[in-house]
Amino acid sequence: MSVTYDDFRTLKVEKPEPRIGLLTFNRPEKRNSISPEFSREMNLVLDRIAADDEIRTVVLTGAGTAFCAGMDLKVFYEYRDRMSEFEEPGLGAMDWFTRLRELPKPTIAAVNGHTYGGGFLVVANCDMAVAAEDAKFGLSEINWGGPPGGGATRAALDTVSIKAANYLLYTGNPIDGREAERIGFVNKAVPADRLLEEAMVIARAVAPHHPTALKWLKRQIHGPLTIPDFYRGV
């Protein structure tokens, strides 16, 4: 089955090498922040990638100076009492975060700049991550009078040590790529001009493996398979 990606406005999907997909968040003028349109398209694009036999692993990155700056606050505050009008059932932000986590193909975040709130959650839901040394990670919601939403608090607690998570959550202070590597939130921090190549190195190591083995392994990582599940090939 031929899978196309030409009809998306906020996302770009390329296949730079065999069996590797490159998904770029493409709202650089808004630092790739999450709008209702972005959420709708992320749900659709992840479903297509899941069905695309030409892709076995996916690198995610951001256009411009940001990876993903979190929710588009202008849209959120303008329409916060009417968000249901802009998010179709099954096509909202909480839906694609789940789709990303459960995508049956390993994902690698190539974090190239500002990564806050929902962007932090994207990295947490990827299987692996490489960051530019000068990338900025943060959960700044405490500075606005509340805790992070959308599962970001839990994501921090699940992906780094309790003390590192508490620092991010209680202070609202950002950390750079080097510190993200030190606390284990990303696999490696590299100079910005080497970021995509380092992510591709990981992707090239994953791509040759059998797609069913990758799917089974991902299911085991996120929750043990039962024996009947294994033999059904889910």
Side-chain angles (χ1 to χ4, degrees), residues 1-193:
M1 181 180 67
S2 177
V3 180
T4 62
Y5 302 93
D6 297 335
D7 53 330
F8 295 104
R9 294 197 335 147
T10 67
L11 305 168
K12 182 168 64 173
V13 178
E14 302 165 282
K15 300 175 184 179
E17 296 184 17
R19 301 174 180 173
I20 297 174
L22 176 62
L23 170 56
T24 302
F25 305 145
N26 197 28
R27 298 185 77 217
E29 74 286 355
K30 297 292 185 180
R31 294 190 174 184
N32 302 315
S33 58
I34 300 166
S35 67
E37 180 184 27
F38 181 100
S39 289
R40 179 180 184 279
E41 292 195 344
M42 276 296 293
N43 281 287
L44 297 174
V45 85
L46 290 170
D47 282 350
R48 290 191 201 179
I49 288 172
D52 191 338
D53 293 336
E54 294 181 352
I55 294 177
R56 293 190 186 178
T57 185
V58 186
V59 175
L60 296 87
T61 196
T65 61
F67 178 74
C68 175
M71 298 300 292
D72 187 328
L73 295 180
K74 180 178 180 181
V75 172
F76 178 79
Y77 283 116
E78 186 173 354
Y79 299 111
R80 63 187 180 278
D81 296 325
R82 298 189 294 120
M83 285 302 290
S84 61
E85 298 176 24
F86 301 92
E87 290 196 348
E88 303 169 52
L91 296 177
M94 296 304 99
D95 301 299
W96 71 259
F97 285 142
T98 301
R99 277 184 169 92
L100 177 62
R101 178 178 174 82
E102 297 179 354
L103 188 73
K105 303 178 180 188
T107 51
I108 305 153
V111 186
N112 56 302
H114 298 286
T115 305
Y116 291 92
F120 187 98
L121 193 54
V122 173
V123 180
N125 280 325
C126 285
D127 298 297
M128 292 163 280
V130 180
E133 292 174 338
D134 59 355
K136 296 296 183 184
F137 299 82
L139 293 168
S140 59
E141 287 83 350
I142 196 70
N143 297 322
W144 305 95
T153 297
R154 187 73 255 165
L157 294 166
D158 287 344
T159 52
V160 299
S161 71
I162 184 68
K163 293 296 191 294
N166 286 348
Y167 175 83
L168 290 164
L169 294 164
Y170 283 124
T171 69
N173 292 339
I175 60 173
D176 64 16
R178 296 180 189 87
E179 180 67 4
E181 178 187 13
R182 191 189 70 79
I183 66 175
F185 189 58
V186 303
N187 298 90
K188 183 184 289 189
V190 298
D193 61 358

Side-chain angles (χ1 to χ4, degrees), residues 212 215-216 219 224-234:
T212 302
K215 178 172 68 174
W216 285 347
R219 284 287 301 275
L225 292 173
T226 66
I227 294 300
D229 283 341
F230 183 86
Y231 284 104
R232 284 199 300 269
V234 299

